[in-house]
Amino acid sequence: MIDIAHLDLSIAGTPILRDVSLKLGQGRILGLAGESGSGKSMTALSILRLLPPSARLSGHVHLDGQDLTTLSEQQMCSVRGRQIGMIFQEPMTALNPVQSIGDQVAETLVIHGAARRGEARRIAVERLERVGLSPDHIPPDRFPHELSGGQRQRVCIALAIALRPRVLIADEPTTALDVTTQERILGLIRGLVDEQNMACLFITHDLAVLAELADDIAVMKAGEVVEAGATLDVLRHRRHPYTRALFEASRHQPVRVPAPPAAAPLLRVERVVRDYPLPRQRLFGARPGFRAVDGVSFDLHRGESLGLVGESGCGKSTLTRAILGLEPIQGGAIRLGGEKITPQMPPALRRRMQVVFQDPYGSFNPRHSAARLIAEPFHLGGRPADLDLRVAEALESVGLRPTDADKYPHEFSGGQRQRLAIARALITRPDLIVLDEAVSALDVRVRAQILDLLADLQGRLGLTYLFISHDLTVVRAVTDRVLVMKAGQIVEAGTTAAVFAAPSHPYTRTLLDAAPMLPEAMA
């Protein structure tokens, strides 16, 4: 349905794509794999001609014989949405926060002249229901902030298929989703392709996802397609060295020092309860509430790595904020080294814990240098006399150079920014580091490097990790024990090897079954 031939792209004179040739077949899914910066998204944007003014595009993109590279901008406006739909990676930035989800889907139909306002609203409800957002449970007058991540991604899919396009482009649509939500979204995309006989270009860095979803795979590196073919053939034979490198990185397990014998716990969580009040529903009566964390207890020992897994909304983030002393609890107690953690705890205790967030770029002030960003935790207890030396040591400990201290966040790659985030967490020499989805947004080779770095730091510095992730492959590789959380409660706990080999709770089995895996036969 789409035939891309010898596509070249440069922006402001910098080569981006080089001789890219791909074919998208009707009713088939083509997976486009590669690291960040390999040209995957720019290939998709070139198809849609969504390029900056300084871009120079050559080659051909044929849609049923029509060359899209020869169309005017006005002609392309009728192609976008009507013939080619696109699902973007981050739904919260792709959706209008002040417009209801029903109006956003209806707007697509109205702009393209496919329906008048009233009819468009009726069709919008049908499209939302088709992607699993029934009006009985998720009314079309809801706003994006009122939905979960998976529900917002479904709205983006409804937008993309509103006009029943013939081609669907999905750019990393499941990267930030938990495994069960990801499984449902992938099933939905596969179902739409089969039902409407669309062609689909699915962009991801996760080869395990493509192994389960894609009919064909193309592997990109530095703007070029280095290998392409049927999914099973590419993943089984891996003829190009870069494909082999991606495959090995997907299965990478860092070399870890075994956790030391259990002693007195460094972190003790005892029957913790966290309630949130809800808006009053009636004039009289008790104010209702929502229990996000319900009687959670566990110990974390010094030098140990503990995984915390569960779906979005299970209470992981709420529990994490309570452990960091960022939110009060309504029951139980949290102690670090015997000292009670509360939002009012002294700075000296707070400095013993640090956190590495999922998106370092979002947690950095873009106007601050790396040195200032790394030194931020010292606002808790004053600037040390040897600050410059400690910043240099922190940079070197995460594999960066002391001269990088004068650079700004935009001058680093995604993996380097995550190394900066780890350096910031190390600067106060903490006892406990909380890793909140710290590698979920990274491509596989950078992820493998960061996991190796974390294992090395733990072995050298005796660090203790609380590792929160929806990526069960990562949790399996880097933790000693794992906790499985559902609806605010720990439903299963044990050594990582035992829980993954023989899960006892049905919910744990559901999570493991939903996690995409590279078939062992391809190893």
PDB file of all heavy atoms in Angstrom, residues 373-402:
ATOM      1  N   LEU A 373      22.897  21.168  38.425  1.00  0.00           N
ATOM      2  CA  LEU A 373      21.858  20.147  38.551  1.00  0.00           C
ATOM      3  C   LEU A 373      22.293  19.044  39.508  1.00  0.00           C
ATOM      4  O   LEU A 373      21.520  18.590  40.356  1.00  0.00           O
ATOM      5  CB  LEU A 373      21.541  19.562  37.172  1.00  0.00           C
ATOM      6  CG  LEU A 373      20.865  20.502  36.170  1.00  0.00           C
ATOM      7  CD1 LEU A 373      20.837  19.863  34.796  1.00  0.00           C
ATOM      8  CD2 LEU A 373      19.450  20.846  36.626  1.00  0.00           C
ATOM      9  N   ILE A 374      23.534  18.593  39.363  1.00  0.00           N
ATOM     10  CA  ILE A 374      24.034  17.522  40.223  1.00  0.00           C
ATOM     11  C   ILE A 374      24.106  17.979  41.671  1.00  0.00           C
ATOM     12  O   ILE A 374      23.857  17.195  42.600  1.00  0.00           O
ATOM     13  CB  ILE A 374      25.413  17.047  39.717  1.00  0.00           C
ATOM     14  CG1 ILE A 374      25.266  16.356  38.362  1.00  0.00           C
ATOM     15  CG2 ILE A 374      26.078  16.105  40.711  1.00  0.00           C
ATOM     16  CD1 ILE A 374      26.589  16.039  37.691  1.00  0.00           C
ATOM     17  N   ALA A 375      24.422  19.241  41.897  1.00  0.00           N
ATOM     18  CA  ALA A 375      24.572  19.767  43.268  1.00  0.00           C
ATOM     19  C   ALA A 375      23.246  20.136  43.918  1.00  0.00           C
ATOM     20  O   ALA A 375      23.236  20.537  45.086  1.00  0.00           O
ATOM     21  CB  ALA A 375      25.490  20.980  43.246  1.00  0.00           C
ATOM     22  N   GLU A 376      22.134  19.995  43.201  1.00  0.00           N
ATOM     23  CA  GLU A 376      20.825  20.396  43.747  1.00  0.00           C
ATOM     24  C   GLU A 376      20.513  19.793  45.112  1.00  0.00           C
ATOM     25  O   GLU A 376      19.982  20.491  45.992  1.00  0.00           O
ATOM     26  CB  GLU A 376      19.713  20.037  42.755  1.00  0.00           C
ATOM     27  CG  GLU A 376      19.472  21.071  41.696  1.00  0.00           C
ATOM     28  CD  GLU A 376      18.302  20.709  40.793  1.00  0.00           C
ATOM     29  OE1 GLU A 376      18.022  19.506  40.644  1.00  0.00           O
ATOM     30  OE2 GLU A 376      17.681  21.624  40.241  1.00  0.00           O
ATOM     31  N   PRO A 377      20.787  18.495  45.360  1.00  0.00           N
ATOM     32  CA  PRO A 377      20.416  17.933  46.668  1.00  0.00           C
ATOM     33  C   PRO A 377      21.052  18.626  47.862  1.00  0.00           C
ATOM     34  O   PRO A 377      20.570  18.472  48.990  1.00  0.00           O
ATOM     35  CB  PRO A 377      20.888  16.475  46.554  1.00  0.00           C
ATOM     36  CG  PRO A 377      20.863  16.180  45.092  1.00  0.00           C
ATOM     37  CD  PRO A 377      21.287  17.464  44.443  1.00  0.00           C
ATOM     38  N   PHE A 378      22.099  19.390  47.661  1.00  0.00           N
ATOM     39  CA  PHE A 378      22.753  20.043  48.792  1.00  0.00           C
ATOM     40  C   PHE A 378      21.948  21.216  49.350  1.00  0.00           C
ATOM     41  O   PHE A 378      22.319  21.783  50.378  1.00  0.00           O
ATOM     42  CB  PHE A 378      24.164  20.511  48.407  1.00  0.00           C
ATOM     43  CG  PHE A 378      25.158  19.390  48.324  1.00  0.00           C
ATOM     44  CD1 PHE A 378      25.850  19.139  47.152  1.00  0.00           C
ATOM     45  CD2 PHE A 378      25.378  18.555  49.412  1.00  0.00           C
ATOM     46  CE1 PHE A 378      26.752  18.091  47.065  1.00  0.00           C
ATOM     47  CE2 PHE A 378      26.283  17.505  49.344  1.00  0.00           C
ATOM     48  CZ  PHE A 378      26.973  17.266  48.166  1.00  0.00           C
ATOM     49  N   HIS A 379      20.848  21.563  48.683  1.00  0.00           N
ATOM     50  CA  HIS A 379      20.010  22.601  49.281  1.00  0.00           C
ATOM     51  C   HIS A 379      19.389  22.119  50.584  1.00  0.00           C
ATOM     52  O   HIS A 379      18.915  22.899  51.386  1.00  0.00           O
ATOM     53  CB  HIS A 379      18.905  23.020  48.305  1.00  0.00           C
ATOM     54  CG  HIS A 379      17.746  22.068  48.250  1.00  0.00           C
ATOM     55  ND1 HIS A 379      17.767  20.923  47.489  1.00  0.00           N
ATOM     56  CD2 HIS A 379      16.529  22.084  48.879  1.00  0.00           C
ATOM     57  CE1 HIS A 379      16.618  20.279  47.632  1.00  0.00           C
ATOM     58  NE2 HIS A 379      15.852  20.947  48.455  1.00  0.00           N
ATOM     59  N   LEU A 380      19.448  20.776  50.817  1.00  0.00           N
ATOM     60  CA  LEU A 380      18.889  20.216  52.049  1.00  0.00           C
ATOM     61  C   LEU A 380      19.777  20.479  53.262  1.00  0.00           C
ATOM     62  O   LEU A 380      19.284  20.452  54.387  1.00  0.00           O
ATOM     63  CB  LEU A 380      18.702  18.699  51.888  1.00  0.00           C
ATOM     64  CG  LEU A 380      17.687  18.254  50.823  1.00  0.00           C
ATOM     65  CD1 LEU A 380      17.753  16.754  50.636  1.00  0.00           C
ATOM     66  CD2 LEU A 380      16.285  18.671  51.235  1.00  0.00           C
ATOM     67  N   GLY A 381      21.063  20.683  53.038  1.00  0.00           N
ATOM     68  CA  GLY A 381      21.927  20.811  54.208  1.00  0.00           C
ATOM     69  C   GLY A 381      23.112  21.726  54.039  1.00  0.00           C
ATOM     70  O   GLY A 381      24.060  21.672  54.820  1.00  0.00           O
ATOM     71  N   GLY A 382      23.113  22.537  53.024  1.00  0.00           N
ATOM     72  CA  GLY A 382      24.211  23.470  52.845  1.00  0.00           C
ATOM     73  C   GLY A 382      25.257  22.964  51.871  1.00  0.00           C
ATOM     74  O   GLY A 382      25.464  21.769  51.706  1.00  0.00           O
ATOM     75  N   ARG A 383      25.941  23.904  51.242  1.00  0.00           N
ATOM     76  CA  ARG A 383      26.949  23.594  50.238  1.00  0.00           C
ATOM     77  C   ARG A 383      28.244  23.155  50.910  1.00  0.00           C
ATOM     78  O   ARG A 383      28.799  23.878  51.746  1.00  0.00           O
ATOM     79  CB  ARG A 383      27.195  24.856  49.398  1.00  0.00           C
ATOM     80  CG  ARG A 383      28.293  24.735  48.361  1.00  0.00           C
ATOM     81  CD  ARG A 383      28.564  26.123  47.770  1.00  0.00           C
ATOM     82  NE  ARG A 383      29.693  26.090  46.850  1.00  0.00           N
ATOM     83  CZ  ARG A 383      29.597  26.099  45.533  1.00  0.00           C
ATOM     84  NH1 ARG A 383      28.405  26.144  44.979  1.00  0.00           N
ATOM     85  NH2 ARG A 383      30.674  26.090  44.766  1.00  0.00           N
ATOM     86  N   PRO A 384      28.788  21.975  50.575  1.00  0.00           N
ATOM     87  CA  PRO A 384      30.053  21.535  51.160  1.00  0.00           C
ATOM     88  C   PRO A 384      31.230  22.308  50.583  1.00  0.00           C
ATOM     89  O   PRO A 384      31.169  22.836  49.465  1.00  0.00           O
ATOM     90  CB  PRO A 384      30.121  20.054  50.791  1.00  0.00           C
ATOM     91  CG  PRO A 384      29.325  19.947  49.543  1.00  0.00           C
ATOM     92  CD  PRO A 384      28.222  20.958  49.658  1.00  0.00           C
ATOM     93  N   ALA A 385      32.311  22.349  51.319  1.00  0.00           N
ATOM     94  CA  ALA A 385      33.490  23.096  50.870  1.00  0.00           C
ATOM     95  C   ALA A 385      34.116  22.477  49.628  1.00  0.00           C
ATOM     96  O   ALA A 385      34.696  23.181  48.793  1.00  0.00           O
ATOM     97  CB  ALA A 385      34.510  23.165  52.006  1.00  0.00           C
ATOM     98  N   ASP A 386      34.023  21.162  49.497  1.00  0.00           N
ATOM     99  CA  ASP A 386      34.643  20.480  48.354  1.00  0.00           C
ATOM    100  C   ASP A 386      33.619  20.156  47.266  1.00  0.00           C
ATOM    101  O   ASP A 386      33.680  19.100  46.632  1.00  0.00           O
ATOM    102  CB  ASP A 386      35.331  19.196  48.824  1.00  0.00           C
ATOM    103  CG  ASP A 386      34.350  18.218  49.469  1.00  0.00           C
ATOM    104  OD1 ASP A 386      33.233  18.636  49.840  1.00  0.00           O
ATOM    105  OD2 ASP A 386      34.710  17.026  49.600  1.00  0.00           O
ATOM    106  N   LEU A 387      32.661  21.053  47.034  1.00  0.00           N
ATOM    107  CA  LEU A 387      31.567  20.770  46.097  1.00  0.00           C
ATOM    108  C   LEU A 387      32.075  20.439  44.702  1.00  0.00           C
ATOM    109  O   LEU A 387      31.631  19.456  44.092  1.00  0.00           O
ATOM    110  CB  LEU A 387      30.613  21.967  46.032  1.00  0.00           C
ATOM    111  CG  LEU A 387      29.438  21.816  45.053  1.00  0.00           C
ATOM    112  CD1 LEU A 387      28.566  20.627  45.444  1.00  0.00           C
ATOM    113  CD2 LEU A 387      28.605  23.086  44.999  1.00  0.00           C
ATOM    114  N   ASP A 388      33.000  21.251  44.175  1.00  0.00           N
ATOM    115  CA  ASP A 388      33.487  20.996  42.815  1.00  0.00           C
ATOM    116  C   ASP A 388      34.124  19.619  42.698  1.00  0.00           C
ATOM    117  O   ASP A 388      33.931  18.913  41.684  1.00  0.00           O
ATOM    118  CB  ASP A 388      34.493  22.075  42.417  1.00  0.00           C
ATOM    119  CG  ASP A 388      33.850  23.446  42.256  1.00  0.00           C
ATOM    120  OD1 ASP A 388      32.610  23.488  42.100  1.00  0.00           O
ATOM    121  OD2 ASP A 388      34.567  24.456  42.311  1.00  0.00           O
ATOM    122  N   LEU A 389      34.851  19.207  43.694  1.00  0.00           N
ATOM    123  CA  LEU A 389      35.476  17.890  43.681  1.00  0.00           C
ATOM    124  C   LEU A 389      34.421  16.789  43.715  1.00  0.00           C
ATOM    125  O   LEU A 389      34.529  15.786  42.989  1.00  0.00           O
ATOM    126  CB  LEU A 389      36.425  17.745  44.870  1.00  0.00           C
ATOM    127  CG  LEU A 389      37.114  16.384  45.026  1.00  0.00           C
ATOM    128  CD1 LEU A 389      37.967  16.066  43.800  1.00  0.00           C
ATOM    129  CD2 LEU A 389      37.956  16.355  46.295  1.00  0.00           C
ATOM    130  N   ARG A 390      33.386  16.978  44.529  1.00  0.00           N
ATOM    131  CA  ARG A 390      32.348  15.955  44.628  1.00  0.00           C
ATOM    132  C   ARG A 390      31.523  15.869  43.349  1.00  0.00           C
ATOM    133  O   ARG A 390      31.096  14.777  42.951  1.00  0.00           O
ATOM    134  CB  ARG A 390      31.466  16.240  45.847  1.00  0.00           C
ATOM    135  CG  ARG A 390      32.242  16.071  47.154  1.00  0.00           C
ATOM    136  CD  ARG A 390      31.404  16.348  48.379  1.00  0.00           C
ATOM    137  NE  ARG A 390      30.391  15.327  48.601  1.00  0.00           N
ATOM    138  CZ  ARG A 390      29.728  15.174  49.751  1.00  0.00           C
ATOM    139  NH1 ARG A 390      30.006  15.974  50.779  1.00  0.00           N
ATOM    140  NH2 ARG A 390      28.826  14.253  49.894  1.00  0.00           N
ATOM    141  N   VAL A 391      31.301  16.998  42.692  1.00  0.00           N
ATOM    142  CA  VAL A 391      30.602  16.961  41.403  1.00  0.00           C
ATOM    143  C   VAL A 391      31.436  16.205  40.382  1.00  0.00           C
ATOM    144  O   VAL A 391      30.922  15.364  39.623  1.00  0.00           O
ATOM    145  CB  VAL A 391      30.295  18.392  40.915  1.00  0.00           C
ATOM    146  CG1 VAL A 391      29.841  18.380  39.452  1.00  0.00           C
ATOM    147  CG2 VAL A 391      29.225  19.038  41.785  1.00  0.00           C
ATOM    148  N   ALA A 392      32.740  16.470  40.343  1.00  0.00           N
ATOM    149  CA  ALA A 392      33.624  15.765  39.409  1.00  0.00           C
ATOM    150  C   ALA A 392      33.636  14.269  39.694  1.00  0.00           C
ATOM    151  O   ALA A 392      33.598  13.441  38.763  1.00  0.00           O
ATOM    152  CB  ALA A 392      35.036  16.339  39.499  1.00  0.00           C
ATOM    153  N   GLU A 393      33.681  13.890  40.980  1.00  0.00           N
ATOM    154  CA  GLU A 393      33.661  12.471  41.349  1.00  0.00           C
ATOM    155  C   GLU A 393      32.350  11.809  40.923  1.00  0.00           C
ATOM    156  O   GLU A 393      32.349  10.671  40.434  1.00  0.00           O
ATOM    157  CB  GLU A 393      33.856  12.326  42.854  1.00  0.00           C
ATOM    158  CG  GLU A 393      35.271  12.639  43.336  1.00  0.00           C
ATOM    159  CD  GLU A 393      35.382  12.549  44.846  1.00  0.00           C
ATOM    160  OE1 GLU A 393      34.323  12.460  45.516  1.00  0.00           O
ATOM    161  OE2 GLU A 393      36.517  12.568  45.362  1.00  0.00           O
ATOM    162  N   ALA A 394      31.234  12.533  41.112  1.00  0.00           N
ATOM    163  CA  ALA A 394      29.935  11.973  40.731  1.00  0.00           C
ATOM    164  C   ALA A 394      29.858  11.762  39.228  1.00  0.00           C
ATOM    165  O   ALA A 394      29.345  10.733  38.756  1.00  0.00           O
ATOM    166  CB  ALA A 394      28.811  12.891  41.214  1.00  0.00           C
ATOM    167  N   LEU A 395      30.361  12.718  38.460  1.00  0.00           N
ATOM    168  CA  LEU A 395      30.363  12.571  37.001  1.00  0.00           C
ATOM    169  C   LEU A 395      31.220  11.386  36.565  1.00  0.00           C
ATOM    170  O   LEU A 395      30.811  10.587  35.707  1.00  0.00           O
ATOM    171  CB  LEU A 395      30.873  13.856  36.349  1.00  0.00           C
ATOM    172  CG  LEU A 395      29.905  15.040  36.317  1.00  0.00           C
ATOM    173  CD1 LEU A 395      30.624  16.320  35.931  1.00  0.00           C
ATOM    174  CD2 LEU A 395      28.757  14.765  35.347  1.00  0.00           C
ATOM    175  N   GLU A 396      32.392  11.250  37.140  1.00  0.00           N
ATOM    176  CA  GLU A 396      33.274  10.136  36.773  1.00  0.00           C
ATOM    177  C   GLU A 396      32.671   8.801  37.191  1.00  0.00           C
ATOM    178  O   GLU A 396      32.847   7.794  36.485  1.00  0.00           O
ATOM    179  CB  GLU A 396      34.651  10.325  37.417  1.00  0.00           C
ATOM    180  CG  GLU A 396      35.466  11.458  36.792  1.00  0.00           C
ATOM    181  CD  GLU A 396      36.845  11.581  37.410  1.00  0.00           C
ATOM    182  OE1 GLU A 396      36.951  11.434  38.652  1.00  0.00           O
ATOM    183  OE2 GLU A 396      37.820  11.809  36.659  1.00  0.00           O
ATOM    184  N   SER A 397      31.971   8.773  38.305  1.00  0.00           N
ATOM    185  CA  SER A 397      31.405   7.505  38.787  1.00  0.00           C
ATOM    186  C   SER A 397      30.323   6.971  37.863  1.00  0.00           C
ATOM    187  O   SER A 397      30.054   5.765  37.853  1.00  0.00           O
ATOM    188  CB  SER A 397      30.832   7.684  40.198  1.00  0.00           C
ATOM    189  OG  SER A 397      29.685   8.510  40.176  1.00  0.00           O
ATOM    190  N   VAL A 398      29.702   7.855  37.075  1.00  0.00           N
ATOM    191  CA  VAL A 398      28.659   7.395  36.147  1.00  0.00           C
ATOM    192  C   VAL A 398      29.158   7.368  34.703  1.00  0.00           C
ATOM    193  O   VAL A 398      28.367   7.276  33.760  1.00  0.00           O
ATOM    194  CB  VAL A 398      27.392   8.281  36.247  1.00  0.00           C
ATOM    195  CG1 VAL A 398      26.789   8.196  37.633  1.00  0.00           C
ATOM    196  CG2 VAL A 398      27.681   9.732  35.874  1.00  0.00           C
ATOM    197  N   GLY A 399      30.479   7.459  34.518  1.00  0.00           N
ATOM    198  CA  GLY A 399      31.054   7.310  33.188  1.00  0.00           C
ATOM    199  C   GLY A 399      31.083   8.570  32.356  1.00  0.00           C
ATOM    200  O   GLY A 399      31.278   8.499  31.129  1.00  0.00           O
ATOM    201  N   LEU A 400      30.914   9.742  32.977  1.00  0.00           N
ATOM    202  CA  LEU A 400      31.029  11.011  32.264  1.00  0.00           C
ATOM    203  C   LEU A 400      32.335  11.694  32.656  1.00  0.00           C
ATOM    204  O   LEU A 400      33.011  11.269  33.591  1.00  0.00           O
ATOM    205  CB  LEU A 400      29.835  11.913  32.578  1.00  0.00           C
ATOM    206  CG  LEU A 400      28.465  11.382  32.137  1.00  0.00           C
ATOM    207  CD1 LEU A 400      27.352  12.305  32.610  1.00  0.00           C
ATOM    208  CD2 LEU A 400      28.397  11.220  30.617  1.00  0.00           C
ATOM    209  N   ARG A 401      32.676  12.761  31.959  1.00  0.00           N
ATOM    210  CA  ARG A 401      33.924  13.477  32.217  1.00  0.00           C
ATOM    211  C   ARG A 401      33.681  14.675  33.128  1.00  0.00           C
ATOM    212  O   ARG A 401      32.625  15.313  33.040  1.00  0.00           O
ATOM    213  CB  ARG A 401      34.544  13.953  30.904  1.00  0.00           C
ATOM    214  CG  ARG A 401      34.914  12.843  29.944  1.00  0.00           C
ATOM    215  CD  ARG A 401      35.647  13.409  28.727  1.00  0.00           C
ATOM    216  NE  ARG A 401      34.833  14.395  28.034  1.00  0.00           N
ATOM    217  CZ  ARG A 401      33.977  14.111  27.047  1.00  0.00           C
ATOM    218  NH1 ARG A 401      33.816  12.843  26.673  1.00  0.00           N
ATOM    219  NH2 ARG A 401      33.291  15.063  26.464  1.00  0.00           N
ATOM    220  N   PRO A 402      34.635  15.023  33.973  1.00  0.00           N
ATOM    221  CA  PRO A 402      34.467  16.229  34.803  1.00  0.00           C
ATOM    222  C   PRO A 402      34.227  17.488  33.977  1.00  0.00           C
ATOM    223  O   PRO A 402      33.544  18.408  34.436  1.00  0.00           O
ATOM    224  CB  PRO A 402      35.797  16.303  35.560  1.00  0.00           C
ATOM    225  CG  PRO A 402      36.287  14.892  35.616  1.00  0.00           C
ATOM    226  CD  PRO A 402      35.867  14.283  34.314  1.00  0.00           C
TER     227      PRO A 402
END
